[in-house]
Amino acid sequence: MGAKWESSSFATRCFTAEDFPYHARKNCTSCKCPREAHDVCHEEWVSVRSRLGLKGEESSSPVGFDPRSKGLAWAPPGLPAHKIEEYFSMLPEISVPRLGTPGERYRDRQLAIQLPKQDLARAYCRHLNPKHASSADDFMAARNEIALDIGNVQEVLERDLYCGACHAPLKYGSVAVSASKLDLLYHPACFRCTECKELLVDLAYCVHDDTLFCERHYAEQLKPRCAACDELIFSGEYTKAMNKDWHSGHFCCWQCDESLTGQRYVLREEHPYCIKCYESVFANGCEECNKIIGIDSKDLSYKDKHWHEACFLCNRCRVSLVDKQFGSKVDKIYCGNCYDAQFASRCDGCGEIFRAGTKKMEYKTRQWHEKCFCCVVCKNPIGTKSFIPREQEIYCAGCYEDKFATRCVKCNKIITSGGVTYKNEPWHRDCFTCSNCNNSLAGQRFTSRDDKPYCADCFGELFAKRCTACSKPITGIGGTRFISFEDRHWHNDCFICAGCKTSLVGRGFITDNEDIICPECAKMKLM
């Protein structure tokens, strides 16, 4: 009967597996995933007691009780419904086999893992040599008689009882799992395999050295298990490889299933491959000869490209590049000399080429050897320090300032900020002062004489005409008007009649010795 696949909203499950694509290993030949990852289970496995080959009734539950009527794939027998819910409330939710939930699929997987059918009945052993059949029968019979049993869930009716695993007290009136082979009680969440730490599926357990195991790990305490077919090995001759046990002939290539016993193989991601499969699946192709780089050849790589050691040659002169400097251009590789001759750029300082592997300093479209990237004045290497380009030359900051920075015409020192320009010449603000009083002229009204700046006050005192009337300087700053007559000068506001004090600006006037008077006052003075 072929495999039947059934879709659902939560998983795809296979219900028969005799013809499922497995050979002498426990992994799918199509996708390479573990057998239990396919959620493989069997209809005949529903009864765990019958699967284990144990005699007696499957259940002592009340007549007519069906776990599925309560939405469960399995329930511990012999308990009323409210105690069943109490039992499951004491377990992790993933371990509760409610229909259509991850808990149901978890139970299916644990049945396949903890209770492998090939351990339980010789009829399922596909790779058991007939001459070892009696050994397998003896092993199974002894296990069923001495070690194998199913736990029983019961109410705790005594006080001062303790869990056989964690040794914590068992609560009076709660439920516990009884393991009759050990005469111990356990919290439901403590009833686990000592080896895999998983809850014992459907309460099936084995005892070895007074310790609980699932059937799988109990059997592995006594017999080796083949890592390929997952069956116990009853022969005295078998293969040990990769820290695992294998039937002779079952240690196979992960790709083609050919036996690797006595053969060379390559281990990749914990899986063995024959040489042929490894090279066809994983080996790189040589860029030069286009042949596979086998495991017996050295694989040289550069930028995701690979070469045989003998093929790692300069594309131009064909010299070997192994352990030599080389350069690449347009997916081709070249020895240092050929690369330099054909592609290397030249230093803007010394004019020599940049050889392969040489450190290069670049700025915009120009480039230098590290030793050539230096100040044109002091010749000191600039390295990673700040620099200033000017035309085709490079200057360090100090030399640039010395050579080109703006200097004050008074003190000859560099103006770094806040300068003043006067007659197209630069001044420090503090240096631009009145030539007479030395007060700063920055932001102030000033004038000049003989190319020297003066503040308004000093200029007036030193050089300006003086008003005949008020004797104060006539500076002209700010557009002040004045009147001159013969050798005398007046401010506009001071040019008034000595008699009536009216302004004579724009009017006729008459001199009277040192005074000036209007015509009316002159007439009155004559009368």
Side-chain angles (χ1 to χ4, degrees):
M1 181 176 180
K4 181 178 72 175
W5 296 90
E6 179 177 283
S7 291
S8 70
S9 60
F10 12 77
T12 300
R13 304 177 60 202
C14 176
F15 288 92
T16 61
E18 296 303 318
D19 295 325
F20 199 72
Y22 293 93
H23 298 292
R25 64 186 188 192
K26 61 175 182 175
N27 297 85
C28 175
T29 57
S30 299
C31 64
K32 312 297 184 187
C33 61
R35 185 191 306 254
E36 57 269 13
H38 281 288
D39 288 343
V40 178
C41 60
H42 294 267
E43 293 174 349
E44 67 269 24
W45 296 357
V46 173
S47 171
V48 173
R49 179 171 289 275
S50 61
R51 179 177 182 180
L52 297 177
L54 299 178
K55 298 179 181 180
E57 293 296 327
E58 170 69 19
S59 173
S60 57
S61 298
V63 176
F65 177 78
D66 179 7
R68 292 183 172 271
S69 67
K70 299 294 185 181
L72 297 166
W74 171 86
L79 291 179
H82 71 281
K83 284 295 181 182
I84 290 174
E85 287 301 323
E86 180 182 348
Y87 167 78
F88 282 127
S89 71
M90 301 172 76
L91 301 180
E93 185 61 29
I94 187 62
S95 304
V96 181
R98 302 190 191 280
L99 296 175
T101 68
E104 181 187 14
R105 296 192 294 282
Y106 169 82
R107 173 178 177 260
D108 287 345
R109 287 192 295 272
Q110 290 305 311
L111 284 170
I113 294 171
Q114 294 188 27
L115 302 173
K117 63 174 186 172
Q118 64 272 19
D119 283 19
L120 304 178
R122 183 156 57 84
Y124 293 112
C125 296
R126 299 182 185 180
H127 305 284
L128 179 64
N129 192 309
K131 65 181 181 181
H132 300 128
S134 61
S135 296
D137 289 338
D138 292 342
F139 173 81
M140 295 177 188
R143 176 200 61 208
N144 292 356
E145 181 68 26
I146 299 171
L148 183 62
D149 197 8
I150 295 179
N152 180 49
V153 180
Q154 63 185 50
E155 189 174 356
V156 179
L157 298 177
E158 298 181 30
R159 301 185 186 277
D160 298 328
L161 295 179
Y162 298 88
C163 175
C166 70
H167 308 297
L170 295 169
K171 184 179 179 181
Y172 179 80
S174 66
V175 293
V177 181
S178 169
S180 59
K181 293 283 186 183
L182 293 173
D183 196 24
L184 293 173
L185 293 175
Y186 297 82
H187 292 111
C190 293
F191 199 58
R192 297 174 180 267
C193 171
T194 302
E195 182 71 19
C196 64
K197 310 302 181 187
E198 294 286 349
L199 289 172
L200 292 162
V201 64
D202 290 11
L203 306 180
Y205 71 95
C206 286
V207 175
H208 180 69
D209 289 339
D210 294 329
T211 305
L212 288 176
F213 292 93
C214 65
E215 192 286 327
R216 171 180 289 275
H217 291 112
Y218 164 83
E220 292 175 7
Q221 300 294 313
L222 305 174
K223 295 289 181 182
R225 186 182 297 279
C226 179
C229 67
D230 205 38
E231 293 184 19
L232 297 174
I233 302 174
F234 292 97
S235 170
E237 296 182 2
Y238 58 94
T239 299
K240 293 187 75 70
M242 299 167 51
N243 296 321
K244 297 178 182 179
D245 301 317
W246 315 74
H247 281 114
S248 296
H250 281 193
F251 182 51
C252 299
C253 171
W254 190 252
Q255 185 72 16
C256 69
D257 284 327
E258 290 296 323
S259 174
L260 296 176
T261 301
Q263 305 296 319
R264 295 171 67 205
Y265 67 92
V266 180
L267 191 63
R268 185 182 176 94
E269 296 177 354
E270 300 186 358
H271 299 312
Y273 293 85
C274 67
I275 303 302
K276 182 179 179 180
C277 286
Y278 180 85
E279 291 183 348
S280 66
V281 176
F282 301 110
N284 298 303
C286 177
E287 288 290 319
E288 179 67 25
C289 67
N290 295 320
K291 294 180 180 179
I292 291 295
I293 304 175
I295 64 168
D296 294 319
S297 301
K298 184 178 289 187
D299 185 336
L300 302 181
S301 64
Y302 173 70
K303 288 187 176 179
D304 297 327
K305 297 182 182 296
H306 301 263
W307 293 264
H308 291 102
E309 184 175 19
C311 295
F312 195 56
L313 307 173
C314 172
N315 190 63
R316 188 176 183 186
C317 69
R318 311 306 294 168
V319 68
S320 174
L321 299 179
V322 177
D323 297 327
K324 295 180 180 177
Q325 282 190 337
F326 64 91
S328 67
K329 192 79 171 180
V330 195
D331 294 332
K332 302 294 184 181
I333 53 175
Y334 301 86
C335 66
N337 291 334
C338 289
Y339 183 89
D340 291 343
Q342 196 162 352
F343 306 110
S345 53
R346 294 185 178 272
C347 173
D348 283 304
C350 67
E352 295 296 323
I353 63 174
F354 291 99
R355 299 196 176 275
T358 303
K359 190 172 183 180
K360 184 188 298 183
M361 310 296 288
E362 296 184 343
Y363 174 71
K364 292 186 176 178
T365 58
R366 306 178 68 198
Q367 50 194 359
W368 297 263
H369 292 107
E370 187 176 19
K371 66 179 181 179
C372 298
F373 189 56
C374 56
C375 174
V376 70
V377 177
C378 66
K379 306 302 181 182
N380 290 326
I382 291 175
T384 58
K385 295 182 293 186
S386 61
F387 65 93
I388 302 170
R390 185 181 176 90
E391 296 178 350
Q392 296 300 311
E393 306 293 353
I394 297 294
Y395 298 84
C396 66
C399 289
Y400 184 86
E401 288 183 350
D402 290 341
K403 191 173 181 66
F404 301 108
T406 302
R407 293 179 178 274
C408 176
V409 298
K410 183 174 183 179
C411 69
N412 200 38
K413 294 181 180 179
I414 293 172
I415 299 175
T416 57
S417 64
V420 175
T421 300
Y422 173 64
K423 293 198 176 215
N424 294 323
E425 291 183 324
W427 304 67
H428 288 111
R429 292 178 64 88
D430 294 338
C431 292
F432 188 57
T433 59
C434 174
S435 299
N436 184 58
C437 67
N438 284 327
N439 288 331
S440 175
L441 297 179
Q444 305 297 319
R445 294 167 59 191
F446 69 93
T447 188
S448 65
R449 185 179 181 91
D450 299 330
D451 292 332
K452 294 181 179 179
Y454 294 89
C455 65
D457 292 341
C458 288
F459 184 85
E461 291 294 332
L462 294 175
F463 309 110
K465 298 177 174 62
R466 292 187 175 272
C467 180
T468 301
C470 68
S471 299
K472 293 181 179 179
I474 302 173
T475 62
I477 295 176
T480 302
R481 296 181 179 182
F482 67 96
I483 296 169
S484 296
F485 177 70
E486 295 180 347
D487 293 330
R488 292 186 292 171
H489 310 280
W490 292 266
H491 290 108
N492 266 18
D493 293 340
C494 294
F495 193 57
I496 59 176
C497 175
C500 65
K501 307 301 181 185
T502 59
S503 175
L504 296 178
V505 177
R507 296 177 60 188
F509 62 90
I510 298 170
T511 60
D512 183 17
N513 295 324
E514 295 297 323
D515 295 330
I516 55 172
I517 57 177
C518 64
E520 288 78 7
C521 288
K523 289 179 181 181
M524 294 201 49
K525 195 170 183 180
L526 292 175
M527 289 176 66

